[in-house]
Amino acid sequence: MTSTNTDCHYCLQSLRGRKYALREENAYCVSCYDSLFANPCEECKQPIECDSKDLAYKGRHWHERCFKCAKCSRSLVEKPFAAKDELLLCTECYSDEYSSKCFHCQKTIMPGSRKMEFKGSSWHESCFVCQYCRQPLGTKPLITKDNENYCVPCFEKQFAHHCYSCKKVITSGGVTYHDQPWHKECFVCAGCKTQLSGQRFISKDEYPYCVDCFGKLYAKKCAVCKKPITALGGPKFISFEERQWHGECFNCAKCSVSLVGQGFLTRQDDVLCHACGSA
């Protein structure tokens, strides 16, 4: 810009017929403007004069001729570039030095392209897909099996167990009974429907029962204590003439000595040891 009727705002010399620059509506001769306002170039450290193009990036400035790749020295003017440790690099050099390799195709993930990260590895967005349906996983929930990623619906179709009771997918945990998978909440007593996971139970006709229900429904009653006789109550029980006793209940009705493994006599509904029965 050439002045015809003003003076330099700083040195007050006439700008008539001379080039000048404006800053905040004030006119400066070129020399004053450069000394006062020119940014230093990051590369050559010289001021970027007002008649030179000033290229700026994140608060730093370069001459147009100095704006180049720190590794291969190719110009970065109007070209994509990346920054690393305050150095500017063309995309090719940056990729060679720093870019991640895609876990799937092993090719470089170029700067500026979308990168997906999962379990410490990186993928191109187009490579991060369900192993079965090949649809992009993006940020959807996924399940990994044998180092392959699956969307939840495909994993359930291919690998998930289905509950023997409700037929729905078992996503975690579960119980195995008679070689069949069950949800914990579905594995219940066939009688009272109480959950049996982690509890003692007894099988009958392929159905599980809690101890109480099994005793009420199926177990024989002890002739003495009248309580059910189950395997959970102890390994020993005695049976005689359609009557049963817990091992600890099979005692002489008169002197209470244990008759387990001993000879005994009967008198009406009582069992007696030989000594009491002969008296």
Side-chain angles (χ1 to χ4, degrees):
M1 186 178 295
T2 302
S3 175
T4 58
N5 57 3
T6 188
D7 296 332
C8 173
H9 184 72
Y10 186 73
C11 70
L12 303 180
Q13 292 186 21
S14 174
L15 297 177
R16 192 180 300 275
R18 299 169 61 190
K19 288 185 178 180
Y20 70 95
L22 288 174
R23 184 179 177 89
E24 298 178 355
E25 298 184 357
N26 295 318
Y28 297 85
C29 65
V30 172
S31 178
C32 288
Y33 184 91
D34 288 343
S35 64
L36 291 171
F37 305 116
N39 294 306
C41 175
E42 287 286 328
E43 178 66 20
C44 68
K45 310 305 179 185
Q46 298 299 312
I48 303 173
E49 301 86 351
C50 65
D51 59 351
S52 298
K53 183 178 289 188
D54 185 335
L55 301 180
Y57 175 72
K58 289 189 175 180
R60 297 187 293 159
H61 300 264
W62 289 262
H63 290 104
E64 185 175 14
R65 65 179 180 276
C66 296
F67 194 62
K68 55 190 177 182
C69 174
K71 185 176 182 183
C72 70
S73 298
R74 285 184 291 184
S75 174
L76 298 177
V77 177
E78 297 182 356
K79 293 181 180 179
F81 64 89
K84 180 70 175 179
D85 300 328
E86 298 189 353
L87 297 177
L88 301 184
L89 301 168
C90 64
T91 54
E92 290 83 359
C93 289
Y94 183 89
S95 298
D96 290 342
E97 291 290 331
Y98 304 110
S99 287
S100 303
K101 296 293 189 296
C102 176
F103 182 83
H104 177 73
C105 70
Q106 296 302 310
K107 294 181 180 179
T108 298
I109 301 175
M110 299 296 289
S113 61
R114 190 173 184 188
K115 178 174 68 173
M116 309 304 296
E117 294 186 346
F118 179 66
K119 290 187 175 181
S121 298
S122 301
W123 280 263
H124 291 109
E125 185 177 20
S126 58
C127 292
F128 194 58
V129 299
C130 171
Q131 179 66 19
Y132 185 74
C133 69
R134 310 309 297 176
Q135 293 299 307
L137 290 169
T139 57
K140 298 176 184 177
L142 61 92
I143 301 174
T144 300
K145 179 178 174 62
D146 299 331
N147 290 326
E148 299 289 356
N149 299 319
Y150 298 84
C151 64
V152 174
C154 285
F155 182 86
E156 291 179 351
K157 290 177 183 177
Q158 296 299 306
F159 305 109
H161 295 294
H162 290 75
C163 176
Y164 182 78
S165 176
C166 70
K167 311 304 179 186
K168 295 180 180 179
V169 170
I170 300 174
T171 56
S172 62
V175 175
T176 299
Y177 172 67
H178 283 186
D179 296 326
Q180 298 292 344
W182 302 61
H183 288 114
K184 287 184 178 180
E185 58 271 23
C186 293
F187 188 60
V188 298
C189 171
C192 66
K193 307 305 179 184
T194 300
Q195 286 191 24
L196 296 177
S197 178
Q199 307 298 319
R200 297 189 303 174
F201 65 91
I202 302 172
S203 295
K204 174 70 174 176
D205 299 329
E206 298 188 358
Y207 291 99
Y209 292 85
C210 67
V211 176
D212 288 343
C213 285
F214 183 84
K216 292 175 182 177
L217 295 172
Y218 300 108
K220 296 183 181 299
K221 304 297 189 295
C222 175
V224 175
C225 70
K226 308 306 179 183
K227 294 180 180 179
I229 298 174
T230 68
L232 296 175
K236 293 182 179 180
F237 74 96
I238 293 85
S239 179
F240 177 71
E241 292 184 350
E242 298 185 356
R243 289 188 294 165
Q244 289 79 30
W245 293 262
H246 292 111
E248 62 271 20
C249 294
F250 192 58
N251 303 319
C252 175
K254 187 172 183 180
C255 70
S256 299
V257 68
S258 174
L259 299 178
V260 176
Q262 306 297 321
F264 63 91
L265 301 173
T266 62
R267 181 181 296 165
Q268 296 180 351
D269 290 337
D270 294 333
V271 287
L272 302 167
C273 64
H274 281 290
C276 291
S278 301

